[in-house]
Amino acid sequence: MNRVLAVLLLLVSTAVFGAKWIENDKSSKSDETEVSRVLDALHEKASVANYEGYFALYATNAVFIGTDAHEVWSIDDFKAYAKPHFDKGTGWTYLPRDRHIYFSPDAQVAWFDELLDNKKLGETRGTGVLIKTDGIWKVSQYHLAIPIPNSLASSVALQIQKQKN
């Protein structure tokens, strides 16, 4: 009788915890899909200069970090920079590829890195953080960088130093 009860408890606990694991796995896949959708929408809205749609994807206290060392913008400063460009119908087009998304243990924070292709700059890298608030993922930080091959790093660093002098 004890063995039957033990087997029964084992089966029930396996079913309960197994179902919970499957539920968490589905939730993380759903979150990953949603974060990816937000990032794709961010690039698409920028490409077509959709000001309202683009900035609706950011959190109210977001930060955008550009490729130049001085470009660390609050969302309001970034809006002021982007508005004249978007008003002229001139956005920016970055085509994402090779994206990786990661989550905090409570699945309320996501961070990512992605390689992007841009006609003017070539290969770039976007990294950032999204926060889930009231079930909606918003970009909290986006950082655009130009990856420099190690073999060119010293030369590029020297050029930057010369420009500053």
Side-chain angles (χ1 to χ4, degrees):
M1 182 66 159
N2 285 342
R3 286 185 183 169
V4 171
L5 184 57
V7 169
L8 185 59
L9 284 173
L10 180 62
L11 289 173
V12 168
S13 65
T14 301
V16 169
F17 290 115
K20 187 66 174 168
W21 178 81
I22 290 168
E23 178 183 310
N24 286 342
D25 187 49
K26 286 180 183 173
S27 175
S28 66
K29 287 292 183 201
S30 174
D31 283 333
E32 186 173 343
T33 299
E34 186 59 19
V35 166
S36 195
R37 187 197 68 74
V38 170
L39 294 171
D40 287 344
L42 191 75
H43 296 306
E44 187 271 328
K45 302 290 185 199
S47 184
V48 297
N50 180 336
Y51 181 86
E52 295 299 326
Y54 180 75
F55 284 103
L57 298 167
Y58 283 93
T60 56
N61 62 346
V63 174
F64 185 93
I65 304 169
T67 57
D68 198 299
H70 80 276
E71 295 177 333
V72 180
W73 290 318
S74 70
I75 195 64
D76 290 334
D77 290 340
F78 189 46
K79 284 179 176 180
Y81 165 80
K83 183 89 168 102
H85 297 286
F86 279 42
D87 284 350
K88 289 186 286 185
T90 310
W92 41 85
T93 301
Y94 290 86
L95 302 172
R97 61 179 167 86
D98 198 22
R99 180 181 291 157
H100 305 101
I101 300 171
Y102 313 91
F103 293 92
S104 63
D106 67 356
Q108 299 301 298
V109 178
W111 56 98
F112 67 93
D113 63 90
E114 60 187 358
L115 291 177
L116 307 152
D117 294 313
N118 176 269
K119 191 173 189 175
K120 177 180 167 186
L121 299 176
E123 182 178 67
T124 61
R125 174 176 286 137
T127 62
V129 177
L130 288 86
I131 306 289
K132 190 176 190 181
T133 307
D134 298 326
I136 299 171
W137 288 102
K138 294 280 187 168
V139 176
S140 183
Q141 180 190 69
Y142 195 94
H143 181 191
L144 181 65
I146 301 170
I148 300 169
N150 289 333
S151 62
L152 300 176
S154 294
S155 171
V156 171
L158 185 59
Q159 290 177 59
I160 293 169
Q161 289 170 2
K162 284 180 181 178
Q163 183 185 21
K164 287 184 176 182
N165 294 333

